[in-house]
Amino acid sequence: MNITGLQASIIESGGLEAKGLWGMRVLFFPDEGLDVSGGAEELVVLALVLVAGKGSVEATASDEPSFGGTELASVEVVSTSGPGVHIRVDSERSALLIEGDRLGLTALADELQSIAEMDDGGHQHIEYFPDHHYLAAGSLAMVVNSPHGGMPTR
């Protein structure tokens, strides 16, 4: 299912806010970027917030090792005129900020939906390069892990 079909009903509601999800974890590594983990449901909810162009998803702390990363408390999405999507961290608020135009936010949402549908472990690197089709220059690199873990079992 392509989540962009849900866009109209979410936009009408003025955004989407998700709190207390079962295990979305966002780690920030200042020299490397972001590492995002969660179940399929959490990734889909984040994708829906991106499609809405406005909203937030609460992240949860974990007892798992952070390997030197800082756990962030939330992911916040804001629709802007763009161009493209800018991924950054607000350290004072402990928040991952994803700001961008609707086309770019929807493209990122489609990538998250694809990752949520993975049937094995793995991860996807989302990082800027010149002429990237939706990421803006200066965006932090982000690794999004499969709901089945970051490495394939096959």
Side-chain angles (χ1 to χ4, degrees):
M1 176 178 128
N2 189 326
I3 61 166
T4 55
L6 300 173
Q7 187 170 6
S9 62
I10 295 170
I11 292 169
E12 287 176 17
S13 71
L16 187 62
E17 187 171 336
K19 293 187 176 188
L21 288 176
W22 308 274
M24 167 85 53
R25 186 179 194 199
V26 181
L27 292 173
F28 172 51
F29 298 87
D31 296 330
E32 298 171 30
L34 299 147
D35 185 87
V36 178
S37 300
E41 296 85 6
E42 289 85 7
L43 294 176
V44 168
V45 167
L46 179 53
L48 290 171
V49 172
L50 288 163
V51 168
K54 176 183 175 185
S56 63
V57 176
E58 193 175 84
T60 57
S62 172
D63 293 334
E64 296 292 317
S66 65
F67 303 103
T70 301
E71 286 188 302
L72 300 181
S74 65
V75 180
E76 299 176 13
V77 175
V78 177
S79 184
T80 65
S81 60
V85 172
H86 192 81
I87 299 171
R88 65 186 181 91
V89 169
D90 182 333
S91 297
E92 287 182 19
R93 294 185 315 159
S94 187
L96 166 57
L97 302 178
I98 303 175
E99 304 165 318
D101 59 30
R102 299 307 289 260
L103 191 60
L105 292 173
T106 299
L108 178 55
D110 286 342
E111 284 200 60
L112 290 177
Q113 176 71 27
S114 175
I115 297 165
E117 293 173 354
M118 288 178 152
D119 59 2
D120 194 6
H123 59 271
Q124 185 165 335
H125 292 258
I126 299 173
E127 50 194 289
Y128 174 79
F129 55 83
D131 296 324
H132 193 282
H133 69 286
Y134 70 84
L135 282 180
S139 288
L140 290 172
M142 182 166 63
V143 172
V144 182
N145 295 293
S146 160
H148 304 286
M151 296 303 293
T153 57
R154 306 180 215 160

